[in-house]
């Protein structure tokens, strides 16, 4: 049986490294989407972003979503 052990310090460090990168990728993808789709656009169920938004909705319903300020989200 294979088990992976990761202490909370390592997880926190990885989170701090990945979070800015993930935010930048999402920002770039949303910018690309808005530039290519004029007016209102809809996410197709087969799009990865659709699945992410669905996951966020489910976590919000369960009260597991932490909202960040504008500066926290967009500052680099």
């Amino acid at each position: 049986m294979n088990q992976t052990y990761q202490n909370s310090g390592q997880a926190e460090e990885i989170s701090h490294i990945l979070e800015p990168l993930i935010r930048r990728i999402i920002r770039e993808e949303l910018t690309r989407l808005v530039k290519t789709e004029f007016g209102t656009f809809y996410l197709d169920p087969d799009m990865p972003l659709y699945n992410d938004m669905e996951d966020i909705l489910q976590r919000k319903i369960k009260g597991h979503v932490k909202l960040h300020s504008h500066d926290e989200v967009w500052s680099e």
Side-chain angles (χ1 to χ4, degrees), residues 7-23:
N7 69 35
S8 61
Q10 289 175 320
E12 189 72 23
E13 183 179 342
I14 291 169
S15 174
H16 286 296
I17 293 168
L18 290 179
E19 187 173 346
L21 177 62
I22 292 167
R23 288 176 188 264

Side-chain angles (χ1 to χ4, degrees), residues 19-36:
E19 187 173 346
L21 177 62
I22 292 167
R23 288 176 188 264
R24 190 177 81 225
I25 291 168
I26 291 171
R27 186 179 317 128
E28 290 171 359
E29 184 64 17
L30 288 173
T31 300
R32 183 195 63 75
L33 185 61
V34 170
K35 286 181 179 179
T36 60

